[in-house]
Amino acid sequence: MEKVPYRSIPDMLRHSAAQYQTLNAVEFRKNGQWVTLSYAQFYNRALMVSRGLRKLRMKPGDRIAILSENRAGWIIADMGILCGGGVTVPVYATGTPDQIAYALSSCEARIVFVSGKVQYRKLLQVRDALPHLEHVISFERFLGEAALPVTTFYQLSEVDDPILDTERAEIDSVIDSLTPEMPATIIYTSGTTGTPKGAVLTHGNLVFDVWATLDKVGGVGQEDLFLSFLPLSHVFERSVGYYLPLSCGAAIAFADSMEKISENMMELHPTIMVCVPRFFEKIYSRIYEAVHQLSLFKRKMFRRALAVGRSYVYARYIDKYVPFWLSFQHAIADRLVFSKLRSRFGDRLKFCASGGAPLDREINEFFWIIGVPVFEGYGLTETSPVLCSNSYNGLRFGSVGTPLAFTEIAIAGDGEVLARGPQVMAGYYNDEAATKEALVDGWFRTGDIGRLEEGFLYITDRKKDLIVTAGGKNIAPQPIENLLKRDKYISQAYVYGDRKPYLTALLVPTLERLLEFAQERRIAYHDLEDLVVHQPVIELYKSRVEAVNNELAPFQTIKKFALLPRDFTMDSGELTPTLKVKRQVISERYRDQIDHLYNGSES
């Protein structure tokens, strides 16, 4: 791997703007039409934001927050902040007013970018808790209130006034002064295990992680289009889905919404996507539902194609040798089956990156088999985020790959994964005690449990999520939950059993399948709360859980379960923005149901 050529994120963008001037950098929907910004235009817009912030007395090191859903304005604002030497503090748009106030107060943000009136009203609710807040800048136009005046993004940028040579020179001097050790962002952890902490990532952390990830994965360049839909507030999308493509001349297109990803894939024909496991779980389930509707002959053909595809993938990417006969069989399977499945992704998808939570091994294999490679990786907010990744040249299903260059992974005596490398954070903002607890002798304590085999890292669970039963068994809940979610009747699952004699589960039915079952059995019901307690439905799920139990050791099996009438959601606070389960929230919210599973009659 060559030496990282950039000192900071703005330095990287400045190089890209000069090298890829006329190439598309950003694509987004505006007034029903797709609009593009070239690299030169994008950089110029960032400079305009930086100029506007300087007029608001932003100084290098000032913390500037962005409270917005994904949009082009988000990344223009971010680059404008960084070009002026500021520190970007992303805040999840799904956050409650109190959560937002905590982050803004902690970092003492003077200036906040908001997407529009919805986020602005959250600030109004907690105005008294934000004594440092001086300016609100909105991407959308609306009238603010006297207690909290609003400036529009357009007004701040003064888009109609070209950047003067003197202004460009002033900003260039700031960019030149940025060093790898300087903070670029403070990202507050999602708080799945406690109070959020602000991870301070430096320019050097982020630039290295982008450069090393690009070197690891390979094959990304000017012809590529990234479809962006994960929250930019999360470091995974920010680093791999935003900074990385802008480092190598690729383009970023912002999806209209999570609900329209399938439609956007067909419109835009992306080549690369950054995803979380839930995305693949849903597509996998839909494909198998469609297969279930096929004739017996076509179902047999599908299963045969999968068997050939699995052999081909292992031969090509793991054994590194494909016999001619297997290559021939695969070509037929690809033409008859796999190519039709790939067309759902827009025909050009080269690969996806998966992170944020464990991806079920069988689902991962399936996507490789149909010709949509999924590079499962591993990292945390505190590590910018990528520590390890699978790739074409190094692939082991079930693992999260091998470490990036100059990155060390070790396993502590209790099984905890330790990491050391240039991407590890400087520390937690204004929290020396938490920093000392996380960073010990140069090693970052990840809080995850794992093992190393032939250089590949396998994550088994979160250290704090391990269930210790009354019988003393240590059980990782996530693999069991993944098995349950693979069932077509189960959308989401939560396994419980800490200090209890056996495991129980809360199951969220797949609504379409459950309603279909109710119609077939002619079950009369008033609403979903009524439907999930009907005896035929309970018996159905008993059989589905029993099928999963047959794949588990006796001490891992689910003895009792409860069906919930609604999904876990971000809005309800039960999921993080990357769709990971907040175990503490769910265990508290459904305490009565869980207690009943241990005190009441068996399901």
Side-chain angles (χ1 to χ4, degrees), residues 374-404:
V374 177
F375 296 148
E376 186 174 14
Y378 170 70
L380 302 93
T381 300
E382 293 90 340
T383 61
S384 306
V386 186
L387 289 168
C388 303
S389 179
N390 282 281
S391 66
Y392 290 118
N393 296 321
L395 173 66
R396 293 293 185 277
F397 292 111
S399 84
V400 292
T402 55
L404 302 186

Side-chain angles (χ1 to χ4, degrees), residues 160-407:
D160 293 334
D161 295 332
I163 289 283
L164 301 177
D165 290 342
T166 53
E167 294 170 332
R168 186 180 293 270
E170 289 172 354
I171 298 172
D172 272 340
S173 69
V174 174
I175 295 175
D176 291 339
S177 71
L178 297 175
T179 66
E181 296 75 28
M182 289 182 173
T185 188
I186 300 172
I187 302 179
Y188 284 84
T189 59
S190 56
T192 56
T193 57
T195 303
K197 298 184 288 289
V200 179
L201 302 180
T202 66
H203 285 279
N205 291 152
L206 292 166
V207 169
F208 169 81
D209 207 64
V210 165
W211 197 247
T213 302
L214 195 59
D215 178 73
K216 178 82 169 181
V217 173
V220 183
Q222 302 173 30
E223 74 285 355
D224 285 308
L225 175 66
F226 285 63
L227 180 59
S228 174
F229 65 93
L230 294 182
L232 283 162
S233 303
H234 192 274
V235 69
F236 185 36
E237 180 66 29
R238 180 135 160 241
S239 181
V240 180
Y242 157 31
Y243 291 151
L244 187 150
L246 290 185
S247 74
C248 60
I252 307 162
F254 288 103
D256 290 323
S257 66
M258 294 282 279
E259 294 73 28
K260 292 191 175 182
I261 294 169
S262 297
E263 180 182 321
N264 291 158
M265 284 192 292
M266 299 304 293
E267 283 182 288
L268 297 168
H269 308 284
T271 61
I272 299 170
M273 293 174 62
V274 178
C275 309
V276 290
R278 190 68 180 145
F279 172 81
F280 301 109
E281 290 167 2
K282 287 185 175 182
I283 294 177
Y284 177 86
S285 177
R286 288 172 190 159
I287 289 175
Y288 267 88
E289 275 305 298
V291 170
H292 182 69
Q293 306 299 323
L294 297 176
S295 66
L296 178 61
F297 172 76
K298 288 187 175 180
R299 290 202 302 272
K300 287 183 176 179
M301 185 173 71
F302 178 78
R303 287 195 293 269
R304 174 58 183 161
L306 287 186
V308 169
R310 182 174 285 105
S311 297
Y312 177 84
V313 166
Y314 273 82
R316 179 175 178 181
Y317 296 107
I318 297 178
D319 300 334
K320 307 294 185 182
Y321 171 72
V322 183
F324 172 78
W325 62 267
L326 181 57
S327 181
F328 178 73
Q329 286 183 320
H330 179 263
I332 296 173
D334 189 74
R335 181 172 181 177
L336 295 178
V337 179
F338 304 148
S339 61
K340 295 179 174 60
L341 296 177
R342 285 198 304 276
S343 67
R344 300 184 180 199
F345 298 88
D347 289 320
R348 288 208 311 154
L349 199 59
K350 289 162 53 173
F351 67 82
C352 296
S354 179
L359 176 61
D360 181 81
R361 174 175 179 158
E362 184 172 315
I363 294 176
N364 193 359
E365 286 186 359
F366 174 81
F367 280 93
W368 277 84
I369 287 168
I370 69 172
V372 180
V374 177
F375 296 148
E376 186 174 14
Y378 170 70
L380 302 93
T381 300
E382 293 90 340
T383 61
S384 306
V386 186
L387 289 168
C388 303
S389 179
N390 282 281
S391 66
Y392 290 118
N393 296 321
L395 173 66
R396 293 293 185 277
F397 292 111
S399 84
V400 292
T402 55
L404 302 186
F406 308 110
T407 301

